[in-house]
Amino acid sequence: MLLVEYAGHEFSLNARQKDGATLRDHLESVYRQTQKMPKELEPKELPYAIEYLWEWFMELQRGRQYGMSGALPLSYSDIKAWAELTGKMPQCWEIDVIKQIDILYINESLKKT
């Protein structure tokens, strides 16, 4: 799904490198110095019809809990509480997509650079 690809791309660009800067920071520096757009910085298209799912994930992300080893996965309880508080009523397939994106986020956050 396009949203999962988009999310994976965003998460990899926002990954912290050994110097503490993100990959996006490094690539933007290359662009400023060379005026050549690195392929990795080329924006991925996010169709308008599914943009709301990315926004939902980002809302859920802001309430994410963290443990000793970093970010904890979004639980179904987290999603249910968010839905009740916001009045949004995600369908099963939308929750599946959010959980897929969350897995990508957790995996990216666990990577050692």
Side-chain angles (χ1 to χ4, degrees), residues 6-87:
Y6 176 86
H9 182 254
E10 285 297 305
F11 298 150
S12 65
L13 286 176
N14 292 329
R16 295 274 170 204
Q17 307 300 297
K18 290 180 181 176
D19 64 356
T22 65
L23 177 58
R24 183 187 313 267
D25 293 335
H26 287 283
L27 293 172
E28 287 174 346
S29 177
V30 168
Y31 175 64
R32 284 191 301 277
Q33 294 173 29
T34 66
Q35 295 302 306
K36 293 181 183 178
M37 178 68 70
K39 183 179 177 185
E40 298 89 347
L41 265 185
E42 292 174 6
K44 298 283 185 201
E45 187 175 334
L46 182 59
Y48 178 76
I50 58 173
E51 199 172 276
Y52 75 97
L53 280 174
W54 178 249
E55 292 170 6
W56 285 5
F57 174 77
M58 296 307 289
E59 286 177 17
L60 282 158
Q61 171 84 340
R62 287 192 290 273
R64 179 183 300 281
Q65 296 186 33
Y66 289 81
M68 295 293 287
S69 59
L72 298 175
L74 295 171
S75 70
Y76 289 107
S77 297
D78 294 332
I79 296 170
K80 181 180 182 207
W82 163 82
E84 289 174 357
L85 288 168
T86 63

Side-chain angles (χ1 to χ4, degrees), residues 85-110:
L85 288 168
T86 63
K88 295 174 179 153
M89 299 175 57
Q91 296 179 26
C92 290
W93 73 268
E94 293 168 320
I95 294 169
D96 279 346
V97 171
I98 288 169
K99 292 293 281 178
Q100 288 176 41
I101 295 169
D102 191 46
I103 289 168
L104 287 174
Y105 176 81
I106 295 296
N107 287 341
E108 189 64 42
S109 70
L110 292 174

